[in-house]
Amino acid sequence: MPEIPSLNSYINHAPTHRERASLFISEEMTQRDREAAIDMATAFEDKDRPAAKTAVLIPVAAHQDNPYIFPTLGEYAKQKTTSPFTVFLSLNAPLDAIDANSKATEAEAIVDQAREAFPRLDVRSSTTLYDEPTIGLIRRDLWNAAFLLAHYEHGFSDDVTGVNNDIDTHSISPHYISRIQQHYEQRTARYQNLFGDSLANTAVHSSVATRVTHARLSSHPNTAKVTTWVDNTCFQAPGRIGYEAGLVIPFSRYAHNGGFDANAITHETARLYTNYYRPYLSGAQLYTSPRRYIDRLHEHDTSEIWTTDSFGSDDTCRNTLPPDISRERAEDIILGSLDSDIRERWLPGAIDPILTAARLRGAIGNINHDETLAKATNAAEKQLSKSERLMRKMIGSPLLASLINESFDAKSYAEKRVASFEHALRASRGQ
């Protein structure tokens, strides 16, 4: 049997950030990608100041979203961080949009006004008119350009942290950027302490989710009931898949996974996910616009907010919004997914970490059934109580709160979950 290579051998043969970047540019980018990236990177470049190694990347539909530019940049100007960051804006519009050129010029002027108003904020912008735009293509061009600029300016001597945000932002916690930076600084330091600098310069860092929620608008309080439930359900779910407009993707991960899919019409970040648990960063809070929920909930449930036929380059919800849904409609929508939300997200989100810990302990000994069941039951009881309080106090529905209390039994659910876990564990051991 050949000798198994040591960890150091693997590290010595792993590509550095610079080598991985060169491979991505030469092999993963098409000729069209490279030409678009060069044009955009040229617009982004500031010869007096290299771009920071934290990049906030935001596409702007200039034909519809110009009113968001100034206030959103104002939120980034309020960030309290000792480490620099750069905001990259892709001002874009379809070629066939009404007044596309004049709207793009207007967007550029608004960005200039923001630069004057927030002189400490490093803002770079580029303008592109697309023949057949998709969000995948727009984001790919934007990220490729920032990636190419980083490769040119410092050759990826360190990894770059990319923050995937949107322009329709209502507010951002002042420590949003600093929490992201601290997370990756701590992760790199752990790698360095364990394995030395060589691994830190070759590791493909995983993505992480920031805590994005939909703003509660006083003009649409019933829509806010639905989004509050949806947001909190996402926060409880196992795996915790975060919203795309708050995903943090290190450039090493971006290159390793091949960048954005240019053909993606929705869910464009899916190929950049990692398949294991990603924590939400405490303190990294961003409130985004609920405009798509406002636009869609009159006729659709929450599973049909983002669809290929409702999301495009010229969406009505960017310009005009209908009035609020009724209270009854909001409760009907929540009720429609309540059972699956509790059984598939809330309860597994509380119990699964306990089972994972039990599995790790079981690797060196036997599973303590009674202890595991007791912990799982306790976690399920707390989770049901938490969901009931949310429904009663924040959503304001005593009816749905009582339904949770009457319909779900924590002990019964925990027993089934633990039994299933133990059966799978025995099967994996051939017992």
Side-chain angles (χ1 to χ4, degrees):
M1 178 181 292
E3 183 180 353
I4 298 175
S6 67
L7 177 61
N8 285 337
S9 297
Y10 281 118
I11 294 171
N12 291 338
H13 287 89
T16 65
H17 295 321
R18 182 181 182 87
E19 291 167 341
R20 186 177 291 109
S22 297
L23 185 64
F24 175 74
I25 292 167
S26 62
E27 299 294 332
E28 297 290 343
M29 285 190 189
T30 65
Q31 181 64 28
R32 183 259 164 214
D33 284 340
R34 285 190 289 272
E35 291 174 357
I38 290 170
D39 287 344
M40 194 175 289
T42 301
F44 286 155
E45 183 184 10
D46 183 341
K47 295 185 183 300
D48 296 325
R49 176 171 54 172
K53 294 180 182 179
T54 300
V56 179
L57 301 110
I58 306 175
V60 181
H63 58 303
Q64 293 183 306
D65 275 347
N66 286 352
Y68 280 102
I69 296 175
F70 192 91
T72 295
L73 290 178
E75 291 298 310
Y76 290 104
K78 298 175 185 176
Q79 292 299 299
K80 297 179 179 180
T81 177
T82 57
S83 299
F85 67 96
T86 299
V87 178
F88 294 94
L89 300 179
S90 169
L91 311 175
N92 64 86
L95 276 168
D96 60 359
I98 298 175
D99 298 328
N101 283 293
S102 63
K103 287 292 185 180
T105 300
E106 176 187 293
E108 292 167 355
I110 296 172
V111 174
D112 286 339
Q113 293 170 8
R115 288 192 183 103
E116 293 181 7
F118 316 120
R120 294 185 179 180
L121 184 64
D122 182 12
V123 182
R124 319 287 178 92
S125 64
S126 176
T127 302
T128 306
L129 300 183
Y130 286 92
D131 185 17
E132 297 181 359
T134 63
I135 188 59
L137 178 62
I138 292 169
R139 287 204 196 272
R140 183 176 177 86
D141 283 350
L142 170 58
W143 280 68
N144 284 355
F147 189 96
L148 191 66
L149 183 62
H151 184 61
Y152 168 73
E153 289 187 332
H154 57 77
F156 285 96
S157 55
D158 295 305
D159 203 353
V160 175
T161 302
V163 186
N164 193 55
N165 283 171
D166 280 347
I167 199 64
D168 59 333
T169 295
H170 280 242
S171 64
I172 311 175
S173 64
H175 301 287
Y176 182 81
I177 297 296
S178 66
R179 282 295 297 114
I180 294 169
Q181 292 171 330
Q182 290 167 11
H183 174 79
Y184 284 102
E185 287 168 1
Q186 291 167 2
R187 176 175 291 178
T188 299
R190 285 197 299 270
Y191 284 151
Q192 289 172 331
N193 290 335
L194 288 171
F195 305 110
D197 291 339
S198 56
L199 179 59
N201 193 37
T202 60
V204 176
H205 291 287
S206 60
S207 55
V208 67
T210 58
R211 194 177 175 91
V212 175
T213 56
H214 291 86
R216 295 172 61 96
L217 305 185
S218 59
S219 58
H220 291 77
N222 294 317
T223 299
K225 297 178 189 297
V226 177
T227 57
T228 297
W229 176 255
V230 169
D231 291 341
N232 281 274
T233 296
C234 287
F235 297 152
Q236 306 305 319
R240 296 187 175 187
I241 298 175
Y243 292 127
E244 295 187 301
L247 192 65
V248 183
I249 310 163
F251 278 16
S252 60
R253 171 62 55 186
Y254 180 79
H256 184 76
N257 287 31
F260 284 104
D261 178 1
N263 297 314
I265 300 175
T266 63
H267 303 90
E268 67 278 5
T269 63
R271 66 191 283 178
L272 301 173
Y273 286 165
T274 46
N275 293 325
Y276 46 85
Y277 175 80
R278 293 192 311 279
Y280 287 95
L281 296 180
S282 60
Q285 178 77 56
L286 183 149
Y287 293 90
T288 189
S289 171
R291 60 187 180 177
R292 293 195 178 274
Y293 280 88
I294 293 172
D295 183 60
R296 301 279 291 172
L297 286 182
H298 285 273
E299 299 179 4
H300 304 275
D301 62 25
T302 56
S303 68
E304 297 180 305
I305 300 302
W306 299 91
T307 60
T308 55
D309 62 339
S310 70
F311 182 76
S313 60
D314 192 16
D315 295 345
T316 56
C317 70
R318 295 194 183 113
N319 295 324
T320 58
L321 290 173
D324 197 17
I325 58 175
S326 67
R327 179 189 181 91
E328 292 73 21
R329 173 64 178 159
E331 291 192 341
D332 284 345
I333 292 170
I334 297 172
L335 179 62
S337 64
L338 183 62
D339 186 79
S340 61
D341 286 344
I342 296 292
R343 295 187 187 278
E344 298 173 13
R345 296 191 174 190
W346 282 80
L347 289 174
I351 293 176
D352 285 5
I354 294 169
L355 302 183
T356 298
R359 182 182 292 111
L360 294 174
R361 289 194 301 272
I364 57 175
N366 294 322
I367 300 295
N368 186 320
H369 171 83
D370 291 341
E371 179 184 348
T372 301
L373 178 59
K375 289 182 178 179
T377 301
N378 183 55
E381 289 173 347
K382 289 182 177 180
Q383 196 76 328
L384 288 175
S385 178
K386 182 178 180 179
S387 66
E388 185 182 351
R389 287 197 306 273
L390 174 74
M391 196 70 77
R392 191 179 303 278
K393 294 183 178 181
M394 291 191 65
I395 297 175
S397 177
L399 176 64
L400 293 178
S402 62
L403 189 60
I404 291 174
N405 185 50
E406 296 167 1
S407 302
F408 300 96
D409 181 73
K411 185 176 181 181
S412 176
Y413 183 91
E415 287 174 341
K416 292 177 181 178
R417 195 82 175 178
V418 171
S420 177
F421 159 73
E422 290 176 336
H423 176 77
L425 191 61
R426 287 192 296 269
S428 70
R429 295 174 173 176
Q431 297 175 347

